[in-house]
Amino acid sequence: MDVLNKLSVEERTLIVSLPYRAGLWVSQSDSAGGDEADEKEHTALANIVDGFSQNVFGSELLQYIMNETVGRKDEWPVWEEASGDVLRDCARALDVLRGVVDEKDVSAYSMRLMEIGEAVALAFREYEEGSALEQFRVYVSYLFMKLKRRLGKRPSKSFDQFLSISARERKALGKLAKALGTTYA
């Protein structure tokens, strides 16, 4: 795509590596579940990125970005090792994109990174049942999230889906949303 060709090699790598790196960052935010959770979330991340590369709906730019992310799969281990500051890189990527595309595409890119992060968090349930008080707190958190989503006219997750996203992952998703200039509830 012509837009990607206008970017420097560093900018292009930043833009196409973030779908993978942001998902990985959310996955690494919670070490509960051990190697089994890590393995499932890595598999889910690869499948999610691949699935989004095949999505022909929405932004044409996003499809090109996701295709290149998948096309550079051999670089994922390098991106993983030198992941850098994902939150800072999100802000940088949005600035780079704003210089070459309209706000609609910038917003679509932002939303896609959030979708990837959330899908990775849903891939493995780290939540373990605790005391009755802890279970009550989790349920109240779910009700609060559901209310916030309703007020924002966004669909809410089922309680089962909510339990699949740990408190640490929710916190990471909130930080990711802030870095992308959006909200997460």
Side-chain angles (χ1 to χ4, degrees):
M1 174 169 224
D2 197 36
V3 169
L4 294 178
N5 292 330
K6 292 178 183 176
L7 304 176
S8 70
V9 171
E10 179 187 341
E11 291 170 333
R12 188 174 183 144
T13 298
L14 172 68
I15 300 298
V16 301
S17 72
L18 268 174
Y20 178 79
R21 292 175 48 230
L24 182 67
W25 183 79
V26 171
S27 174
Q28 293 174 340
S29 68
D30 190 342
S31 59
D35 291 340
E36 181 185 1
D38 288 345
E39 185 179 319
K40 284 186 178 184
E41 287 177 346
H42 266 84
T43 300
L45 176 58
N47 291 335
I48 290 161
V49 169
D50 185 55
F52 280 139
S53 74
Q54 297 173 28
N55 182 359
V56 296
F57 304 106
S59 168
E60 182 181 7
L61 173 64
L62 268 179
Q63 187 175 0
Y64 281 104
I65 290 170
M66 297 305 297
N67 280 332
E68 186 161 330
T69 303
V70 171
R72 293 172 66 174
K73 192 173 190 169
D74 59 323
E75 295 177 53
W76 290 6
V78 174
W79 294 347
E80 200 169 314
E81 292 299 317
S83 61
D85 185 342
V86 169
L87 299 179
R88 180 187 46 112
D89 288 349
C90 284
R92 267 186 54 221
L94 297 181
D95 286 342
V96 167
L97 285 174
R98 282 189 180 101
V100 292
V101 298
D102 64 25
E103 194 59 35
K104 183 183 113 208
D105 281 327
V106 175
S107 178
Y109 180 76
S110 239
M111 289 183 343
R112 184 57 44 95
L113 293 181
M114 287 301 303
E115 290 169 350
I116 291 169
E118 187 172 50
V120 169
L122 284 166
F124 186 84
R125 180 182 289 191
E126 283 97 349
Y127 173 76
E128 294 179 19
E129 289 190 27
S131 69
L133 180 59
E134 288 169 339
Q135 289 179 31
F136 178 73
R137 284 183 183 151
V138 167
Y139 189 68
V140 169
S141 294
Y142 168 71
L143 293 176
F144 182 69
M145 177 276 306
K146 193 170 184 164
L147 176 64
K148 283 175 67 174
R149 284 188 169 252
R150 253 195 206 144
L151 292 173
K153 296 185 174 144
R154 295 181 300 171
S156 60
K157 293 170 207 49
S158 69
F159 188 58
D160 190 55
Q161 289 173 318
F162 180 81
L163 290 176
S164 290
I165 300 176
S166 72
R168 288 183 182 140
E169 289 168 332
R170 267 196 260 348
K171 187 175 182 178
L173 287 167
K175 288 178 180 180
L176 183 61
K178 186 175 181 181
L180 293 167
T182 188
T183 60
Y184 178 76

